[in-house]
Amino acid sequence: MSKYTIGLDFGTLDGRAMLVDVKTGKEIVGASYTYPDGVIEDILPNTKTKLPPDYALQNPIDYLDVLKRVIPELLKKSRVYPENIIGIGVDFTSCTMLPIDKQGIPLCMKEKWKDNPHAWVKLWKHHAAEPYANKLREIALKGKEKFILRYGGKISSEWMFPKIWQILEESPEIYEAADRFIEAGDWIVLQLTGKERRSSCQAGYKAIWDKKEGYPSPEFFATLHPRLKNVVEEKLSNKIYPTGSKAGGLTLRMAQLTGLKENTPVAVGIIDAHSAVPACTVTQPGKMVLIMGTSTSHTLLSKEQKLIPGIPSVVEDGILPGFFGYEAGQAAVGDIFDWFVTNCVPASYEREAQKQGVNIYRLLEKKASKLKPGESGLIALDWWNGNRSILNKANLSGLILGLTLRTKSEEIYRALIEATAFGTRVIIETFEKNGLPIEELYACGGMPHKDRLLMQIYADVTGREIKVASSRQASALGAAMFGALAAGSEAGGYDSIKDAVTYMTSLEKKTYLPIPENVKAYNQLFTEYKKLHDYFGRGSNQVMERLKRR
Amino acid sequence: MSKYTIGLDFGTLDGRAMLVDVKTGKEIVGASYTYPDGVIEDILPNTKTKLPPDYALQNPIDYLDVLKRVIPELLKKSRVYPENIIGIGVDFTSCTMLPIDKQGIPLCMKEKWKDNPHAWVKLWKHHAAEPYANKLREIALKGKEKFILRYGGKISSEWMFPKIWQILEESPEIYEAADRFIEAGDWIVLQLTGKERRSSCQAGYKAIWDKKEGYPSPEFFATLHPRLKNVVEEKLSNKIYPTGSKAGGLTLRMAQLTGLKENTPVAVGIIDAHSAVPACTVTQPGKMVLIMGTSTSHTLLSKEQKLIPGIPSVVEDGILPGFFGYEAGQAAVGDIFDWFVTNCVPASYEREAQKQGVNIYRLLEKKASKLKPGESGLIALDWWNGNRSILNKANLSGLILGLTLRTKSEEIYRALIEATAFGTRVIIETFEKNGLPIEELYACGGMPHKDRLLMQIYADVTGREIKVASSRQASALGAAMFGALAAGSEAGGYDSIKDAVTYMTSLEKKTYLPIPENVKAYNQLFTEYKKLHDYFGRGSNQVMERLKRR
């Protein structure tokens, strides 16, 4: 009898679940549920509370609804018996965090707090904690805190502590009312198992935790704000569990809600990007995994711990046990293309797409494919959502240069794709300059399967072959793989990630090889990109930051 | 019995005519005709000849069709008797030039040459002669030619000689076949009167001619190319006629074609922008006239001749007799907004505009009006068609900075308006720094009457009151005024431009006063604009020029 695991993958806009055959990795069925409240940026749901700029919140009820809807749907569609489902893995965006009470109930679900934005989930891309991130960083650098070196001297506003500090300063009543602050991924595991099992992955990458050093000291936190002194002890779960380990078994209540068997093993949560790494077949150094969706995450394994300027995250055992896991990222990639299609593509293109029976993205791709590198004279800086790596400044913004009266929509679209590829190249070069060679790229996520032009541009810009994971839901597959680890070999799962990779993953036949003449053209354009990148990003002209602060 | 004159106004996209009551300036009727071939940028009409980048050609048959269509339409609509029409004035874009044969027939109208792009009209915004303009400038500077100082050390690719030189180099057979090269405005006067009466306005502003010094010397032209040595003598009409004078009387053939009386006086041609100056009531220094259409022209009168860096054109008697006429310009203004609406406004806005029963421009204006200066965090450089003043570089291009995932269409639209206003402010400040104070602005052209937001932004950005000419067709009215001068007082017209201004012009009641808090905000934004302007425009980073040359 075949055994199965479920990978639960919570993204920025929806939650997906996938039922996977543990022996073959075959993805039996999938289901997804779009969060009705999506990303909350303007008005709090059911209120008139207008949000300040740079807010990005979510509604935790949307996450629960994912569980309630997609797991029964998997069972129904697949007709697999619940007893043959031997494990569940969970991956989630991060740092996506929320304040909860003693019972694990999010504060925003309580009448008393529902009108307070700080009671809600702060999504990873909530950037309003930027001033706190900057202050934290300054104080840490001034105090020569050891931890700040581990993060290349940078602290992102997307991380846990800037977000907590923002809550304390701007809504002390929420800080006091919160029994704990928790990663949304850990919160889902808590919902499933009744146990809080803080994941080493989230803690290491997003909460300044280290396997050897632990969290920053209470003395350090006290210099930020007296009330923060014991933030770890008072407001966070202090016990950390490695990825791939078992968090617990499914509760009776959750079993009833989902249709699964009580006590089905649930793995400790993992960040969505990191979950995809083994799903891309990668279990060794020199192979960078690009998870390309609304944002792009770049992960790399190494036996060595290096401090790389601008690559803020190196976590021991953070991705796979036995390796230092490096993570870099671009805060907006697919998001930029979506923004462009929603806000900048003219009605005439919409009509043309309808006529051709394709969507706007395919029409733009088709038109943009006919352009040669550099032909349009356009170049862009891909900082629509700030720069996460290497500059690590959320207040940077996007730029398009080279516009003329003849500039066409597809030219801008292509320039935006190229800009994101240049951003990836800056990251690759930074790794290499610091002694971590990168031979190949592995891609997964929403875009590599559907956008060939984009993949070719990335190969041409980076000058490297790109292999694509067969799975179209690599994070979910990875989560299912971790579910198989939580189950263990006795139950029909696996005891090592290598085994899980061997049986459960594969790559697409089509790979993307760099085209020499394009590589040459892009080398020139990249020089221009780099010059603009440094001019606007490294302090020569801080116009972006000045304009954004207004 | 009332007397009338006709102003013929040839713009970038259409030709317009206006019948004006000479005693009151009342605009009795108007008519216009859109050039069927418009601006030819991609493919030569009726051929498969693809044009290189930066070409902008026109079809002279379109100009003849304007005469044939709009004048009879005026007569028909107004029921005015031809004998009561005492004069005709002509204004035209410039330097819009064409090669003609001995009979005045454009070479592109001949079977032999119709497939050769160089046989066609080169529109003012044809920028493909940029390399020749640069070379001409370099050689002139090296040779310390006196004339180059008159033009602030700059030569524009839009002018006559770079365009002629391009023809000689790239199509010597056209150069040889051309009996003359002629301004399109002078060509229309030639069509109407049978006489070539080269206008001092076009010659002075666009062909390096000066009342005292004449053209550059044959020796200078010979250093450009041996064949150019006698270009003036061989290829140009060397006798120059002042604006406001009479070119001749309407020919019998043209009288039959248009329905007007034979021998109706026709004025010497004038550049469209300059024609608008007296129509804005301006006949003295300190008052800058902005003619705001697809591009913007800034004109200023002064008793003094100053050499102002980046203001390439100072012509004695070039606008009004007795004054040095200064001209600066922005190569694209309305063109940028049109580009934006055509290429960048999403379908959802089109639907919203339809629902509200307004056009897209009004919808964008409405939405953009709600924004405060600086609110969007955007800033743009308005160089979609290069920079004419003060940098005088056609190879510069447009830039938008500050884009985020929340940037909306109306925010970009507003930033583009602001950018063009900043561009005007750079021009104003350059005049003032060089000893020509500007107290007030006078606006006319396509935009001041219909776009209140734009006018308010210009007042706020420049910190000056803006008065608007009553006439919605100031260039055409100006042409009609020059028609009245050509007729003279004996025939019922005028003998001086001051008289024509007194009787034929007026201003709108509504003027635009700067709003102090907006002025303050824009002063800050202008600092940012200026920094970007100098960085990209003055050689620190020539990325725009490098990308455009590819």
Side-chain angles (χ1 to χ4, degrees):
Chain A
M1 183 63 72
S2 293
K3 299 292 179 192
Y4 305 88
T5 55
I6 290 176
L8 290 170
D9 169 40
F10 289 83
T12 299
L13 299 173
D14 56 21
R16 280 152 282 180
M18 188 190 283
L19 188 74
V20 180
D21 186 319
V22 175
K23 276 279 135 345
T24 62
K26 192 177 167 202
E27 299 168 6
I28 307 299
V29 290
S32 77
Y33 176 70
T34 300
Y35 309 144
D37 282 331
V39 179
I40 303 162
E41 292 175 316
D42 294 316
I43 307 275
L44 269 193
N46 307 319
T47 71
K48 288 182 178 170
T49 308
K50 214 180 167 278
L51 297 175
D54 292 331
Y55 269 58
L57 309 180
Q58 292 202 312
N59 186 348
I61 294 177
D62 290 346
Y63 306 150
L64 291 178
D65 285 347
V66 170
L67 299 178
K68 254 197 297 197
R69 285 164 180 264
V70 300
I71 299 176
E73 193 182 334
L74 285 192
L75 292 173
K76 200 175 154 196
K77 280 202 220 160
S78 67
R79 300 181 179 215
V80 162
Y81 292 115
E83 48 268 39
N84 290 327
I85 297 175
I86 60 167
I88 302 167
V90 177
D91 73 78
F92 217 109
T93 63
S94 180
C95 168
T96 296
M97 55 82 77
L98 63 160
I100 56 176
D101 71 5
K102 252 198 173 69
Q103 282 71 46
I105 297 169
L107 297 194
C108 64
M109 285 168 68
K110 293 164 175 266
E111 191 55 32
K112 185 173 178 188
W113 302 115
K114 72 179 178 42
D115 289 350
N116 186 324
H118 292 289
W120 293 67
V121 176
K122 287 190 165 57
L123 185 61
W124 63 272
K125 68 174 173 176
H126 172 89
H127 282 150
E130 175 84 1
Y132 303 99
N134 291 340
K135 237 153 93 186
L136 195 159
R137 177 180 164 267
E138 272 169 41
I139 294 171
L141 285 171
K142 225 170 132 188
K144 301 203 168 95
E145 296 288 335
K146 205 171 159 194
F147 71 80
I148 192 77
L149 293 176
R150 225 163 56 230
Y151 297 95
K154 305 279 168 94
I155 297 293
S156 166
S157 68
E158 293 180 3
W159 293 359
M160 180 65 95
F161 289 115
K163 282 170 170 160
I164 293 179
W165 192 5
Q166 185 191 16
I167 294 171
L168 173 60
E169 294 278 357
E170 299 179 16
S171 184
E173 64 281 14
I174 292 288
Y175 187 85
E176 296 308 332
D179 184 68
R180 271 118 64 218
F181 296 105
I182 187 170
E183 281 274 355
D186 293 337
W187 183 72
I188 284 293
V189 170
L190 170 63
Q191 297 302 306
L192 292 169
T193 65
K195 288 170 189 158
E196 181 169 349
R197 291 287 183 259
R198 180 135 179 70
S199 145
S200 66
C201 177
Q202 278 101 321
Y205 285 107
K206 311 290 178 179
I208 324 185
W209 173 85
D210 181 73
K211 195 177 169 184
K212 295 182 198 83
E213 321 260 342
Y215 285 106
S217 65
E219 291 68 38
F220 171 74
F221 282 119
T223 59
L224 304 185
H225 189 292
R227 192 66 192 84
L228 280 178
K229 183 175 181 189
N230 297 310
V231 58
V232 171
E233 199 177 305
E234 289 172 17
K235 300 288 180 182
L236 294 173
S237 179
N238 205 347
K239 203 166 168 214
I240 312 291
Y241 296 80
T243 54
S245 62
K246 179 178 161 182
L250 203 63
T251 63
L252 176 60
R253 200 179 140 264
M254 271 293 155
Q256 289 166 339
L257 196 80
T258 59
L260 295 174
K261 298 284 285 184
E262 195 184 347
N263 287 323
T264 306
V266 177
V268 166
I270 185 168
I271 300 176
D272 51 357
H274 301 171
S275 173
V277 174
C280 289
T281 77
V282 171
T283 56
Q284 46 188 298
K287 300 167 190 290
M288 176 180 267
V289 175
L290 273 62
I291 302 102
M292 306 173 79
T294 52
S295 62
T296 289
S297 166
H298 313 70
T299 50
L300 188 69
L301 301 173
S302 174
K303 287 283 179 191
E304 297 172 87
Q305 181 172 26
K306 305 236 179 198
L307 299 176
I308 302 181
I311 310 274
S313 306
V314 194
V315 176
E316 193 174 353
D317 298 350
I319 301 171
L320 294 183
F323 292 97
F324 289 90
Y326 292 79
E327 192 206 3
Q330 290 171 271
V333 177
D335 267 355
I336 300 180
F337 312 141
D338 291 343
W339 169 85
F340 182 72
V341 164
T342 306
N343 292 285
C344 304
V345 178
S348 58
Y349 279 55
E350 191 175 283
R351 287 188 285 269
E352 191 176 342
Q354 269 167 3
K355 217 167 145 187
Q356 295 189 18
V358 297
N359 72 27
I360 292 265
Y361 292 91
R362 291 295 77 75
L363 181 76
L364 288 171
E365 187 185 4
K366 209 167 137 184
K367 287 174 180 277
S369 299
K370 293 181 187 146
L371 300 166
K372 289 201 193 93
E375 184 182 334
S376 71
L378 292 172
I379 197 160
L381 289 175
D382 51 315
W383 301 338
W384 265 248
N385 195 17
N387 177 294
R388 194 181 301 162
S389 312
I390 303 300
L391 302 169
N392 225 295
K393 292 180 182 172
N395 275 334
L396 294 175
S397 55
L399 173 145
I400 305 173
L401 180 153
L403 296 156
T404 77
L405 296 173
R406 304 181 75 186
T407 299
K408 298 231 159 48
S409 203
E410 60 271 23
E411 294 176 333
I412 301 177
Y413 182 67
R414 185 174 176 123
L416 295 179
I417 294 176
E418 290 166 351
T420 66
F422 292 142
T424 287
R425 178 160 164 181
V426 171
I427 291 169
I428 292 173
E429 292 194 349
T430 306
F431 273 115
E432 293 218 311
K433 248 182 247 156
N434 287 279
L436 292 178
I438 293 166
E439 285 130 37
E440 283 175 329
L441 304 181
Y442 289 73
C444 64
M447 288 186 293
H449 290 97
K450 60 185 180 197
D451 200 332
R452 290 185 163 220
L453 172 66
L454 178 129
M455 295 312 293
Q456 188 58 52
I457 288 174
Y458 270 66
D460 293 340
V461 165
T462 62
R464 281 169 176 79
E465 182 175 4
I466 308 183
K467 297 176 177 172
V468 178
S470 297
S471 173
R472 279 155 198 255
Q473 309 272 357
S475 291
L477 174 60
M481 292 165 76
F482 286 111
L485 289 182
S489 61
E490 264 181 50
Y494 300 103
D495 296 327
S496 84
I497 191 72
K498 283 217 169 160
D499 285 347
V501 164
T502 305
Y503 292 103
M504 296 178 79
T505 66
S506 66
L507 293 170
E508 292 278 285
K509 267 190 200 147
K510 158 126 189 107
T511 71
Y512 294 86
L513 284 165
I515 299 165
E517 64 180 281
N518 292 357
V519 171
K520 213 176 134 193
Y522 280 132
N523 281 341
Q524 286 187 357
L525 276 179
F526 180 69
T527 308
E528 302 292 356
Y529 175 89
K530 199 60 191 3
K531 197 165 176 183
L532 293 170
H533 174 281
D534 291 349
Y535 178 70
F536 289 108
R538 295 198 189 276
S540 303
N541 185 350
Q542 293 183 288
V543 53
M544 290 171 179
E545 290 147 289
R546 281 191 297 271
L547 292 184
K548 236 185 158 181
R549 264 202 292 277
R550 272 157 180 279
Chain B
M1 183 64 72
S2 292
K3 299 291 178 191
Y4 306 88
T5 55
I6 290 175
L8 289 170
D9 169 41
F10 289 83
T12 299
L13 300 172
D14 56 21
R16 280 153 280 178
M18 187 192 283
L19 187 75
V20 180
D21 186 319
V22 175
K23 275 281 136 342
T24 62
K26 194 177 166 201
E27 299 169 4
I28 307 298
V29 291
S32 76
Y33 176 69
T34 300
Y35 309 143
D37 281 333
V39 180
I40 303 162
E41 291 176 316
D42 294 316
I43 308 275
L44 269 192
N46 308 318
T47 71
K48 288 184 177 169
T49 308
K50 212 179 167 281
L51 297 175
D54 292 329
Y55 268 57
L57 309 180
Q58 292 203 312
N59 187 348
I61 295 177
D62 290 345
Y63 307 150
L64 291 178
D65 285 346
V66 170
L67 300 178
K68 252 195 301 196
R69 286 163 180 263
V70 298
I71 299 176
E73 194 182 331
L74 285 193
L75 293 174
K76 201 175 152 196
K77 281 203 220 161
S78 66
R79 300 180 178 215
V80 163
Y81 292 115
E83 49 268 39
N84 291 325
I85 297 176
I86 60 169
I88 302 167
V90 176
D91 72 80
F92 217 108
T93 63
S94 178
C95 168
T96 296
M97 55 81 78
L98 64 160
I100 55 176
D101 72 4
K102 251 197 176 66
Q103 283 70 46
I105 297 169
L107 297 193
C108 65
M109 286 168 68
K110 294 165 173 265
E111 192 55 32
K112 186 174 177 190
W113 302 116
K114 70 178 178 46
D115 290 349
N116 187 323
H118 292 289
W120 292 66
V121 177
K122 287 189 167 57
L123 185 61
W124 63 272
K125 67 175 174 176
H126 172 89
H127 282 151
E130 174 83 2
Y132 303 100
N134 291 338
K135 238 154 93 185
L136 194 157
R137 177 179 164 268
E138 271 169 41
I139 295 170
L141 284 171
K142 224 170 131 188
K144 300 202 170 96
E145 297 286 337
K146 206 171 158 195
F147 71 79
I148 192 77
L149 294 177
R150 223 164 55 231
Y151 297 95
K154 305 280 169 92
I155 297 293
S156 166
S157 68
E158 293 180 3
W159 294 358
M160 180 64 95
F161 289 115
K163 281 170 171 162
I164 293 178
W165 193 5
Q166 186 191 14
I167 294 172
L168 172 61
E169 294 279 356
E170 298 178 18
S171 185
E173 64 281 15
I174 292 288
Y175 187 86
E176 297 308 332
D179 182 68
R180 269 119 64 219
F181 296 105
I182 186 169
E183 282 273 355
D186 293 337
W187 183 72
I188 284 293
V189 170
L190 170 64
Q191 297 304 304
L192 291 170
T193 64
K195 288 169 191 159
E196 182 170 348
R197 291 286 182 259
R198 180 138 180 69
S199 145
S200 65
C201 178
Q202 278 101 323
Y205 284 107
K206 310 292 179 179
I208 323 186
W209 173 85
D210 181 75
K211 196 177 169 184
K212 296 182 197 83
E213 321 259 343
Y215 286 105
S217 65
E219 292 67 38
F220 171 74
F221 282 119
T223 59
L224 304 184
H225 189 293
R227 192 65 192 86
L228 279 179
K229 184 175 179 188
N230 297 310
V231 58
V232 170
E233 199 177 306
E234 289 171 18
K235 300 287 179 184
L236 295 173
S237 178
N238 205 347
K239 200 158 171 222
I240 313 290
Y241 295 80
T243 53
S245 62
K246 179 177 161 185
L250 203 65
T251 62
L252 176 61
R253 200 181 140 264
M254 271 293 155
Q256 288 165 341
L257 196 80
T258 58
L260 295 174
K261 299 283 286 183
E262 196 184 347
N263 287 323
T264 306
V266 177
V268 166
I270 184 166
I271 300 176
D272 51 357
H274 301 171
S275 173
V277 173
C280 288
T281 75
V282 171
T283 56
Q284 45 188 300
K287 299 165 190 291
M288 176 179 266
V289 175
L290 273 63
I291 300 101
M292 307 174 78
T294 53
S295 62
T296 289
S297 166
H298 313 70
T299 50
L300 188 69
L301 302 174
S302 175
K303 287 282 177 191
E304 297 172 87
Q305 181 170 28
K306 306 237 177 197
L307 299 175
I308 302 182
I311 311 275
S313 306
V314 194
V315 177
E316 195 175 351
D317 299 350
I319 302 171
L320 294 183
F323 292 97
F324 289 90
Y326 292 80
E327 192 206 5
Q330 289 171 271
V333 177
D335 266 357
I336 300 180
F337 311 141
D338 291 343
W339 169 86
F340 181 73
V341 164
T342 307
N343 293 285
C344 304
V345 177
S348 57
Y349 279 54
E350 192 174 281
R351 287 188 286 269
E352 192 176 341
Q354 269 168 2
K355 220 168 142 186
Q356 294 189 18
V358 296
N359 73 27
I360 292 264
Y361 292 91
R362 290 296 76 75
L363 181 75
L364 287 171
E365 187 186 3
K366 210 168 135 186
K367 287 173 179 278
S369 299
K370 293 182 187 146
L371 300 165
K372 289 201 194 91
E375 184 182 334
S376 72
L378 293 171
I379 197 161
L381 289 175
D382 51 314
W383 301 338
W384 264 249
N385 195 17
N387 176 295
R388 194 182 299 161
S389 312
I390 303 299
L391 302 168
N392 225 295
K393 292 179 180 172
N395 274 333
L396 294 175
S397 55
L399 172 144
I400 304 174
L401 179 153
L403 295 156
T404 76
L405 297 173
R406 304 181 76 185
T407 300
K408 299 231 157 47
S409 203
E410 61 271 24
E411 293 177 333
I412 302 177
Y413 182 67
R414 186 174 175 122
L416 297 178
I417 294 176
E418 290 167 350
T420 65
F422 292 142
T424 286
R425 178 161 165 178
V426 171
I427 292 169
I428 291 173
E429 292 196 348
T430 306
F431 272 115
E432 293 219 311
K433 246 182 249 157
N434 288 278
L436 292 178
I438 293 167
E439 284 130 38
E440 284 175 328
L441 304 181
Y442 288 73
C444 64
M447 288 186 293
H449 290 95
K450 60 185 180 197
D451 200 331
R452 291 186 161 219
L453 171 67
L454 178 128
M455 294 311 295
Q456 187 59 52
I457 288 173
Y458 271 65
D460 292 340
V461 164
T462 62
R464 281 170 176 78
E465 183 175 4
I466 309 183
K467 297 176 176 172
V468 177
S470 297
S471 174
R472 279 154 199 256
Q473 308 272 358
S475 291
L477 174 59
M481 292 165 76
F482 286 111
L485 288 183
S489 60
E490 264 180 52
Y494 300 103
D495 295 327
S496 84
I497 190 72
K498 282 216 169 160
D499 286 346
V501 164
T502 305
Y503 293 103
M504 296 178 78
T505 66
S506 66
L507 294 170
E508 291 278 286
K509 267 190 202 148
K510 160 125 188 109
T511 71
Y512 293 86
L513 284 166
I515 298 166
E517 64 179 280
N518 292 356
V519 171
K520 212 176 135 192
Y522 280 133
N523 280 342
Q524 285 188 358
L525 276 178
F526 181 69
T527 309
E528 302 292 357
Y529 175 90
K530 199 61 191 359
K531 196 165 177 183
L532 294 168
H533 173 281
D534 291 349
Y535 179 71
F536 288 109
R538 296 199 188 274
S540 302
N541 186 351
Q542 295 183 288
V543 53
M544 290 172 179
E545 289 148 289
R546 282 191 296 271
L547 293 183
K548 236 187 159 180
R549 265 203 290 274
R550 272 157 179 275

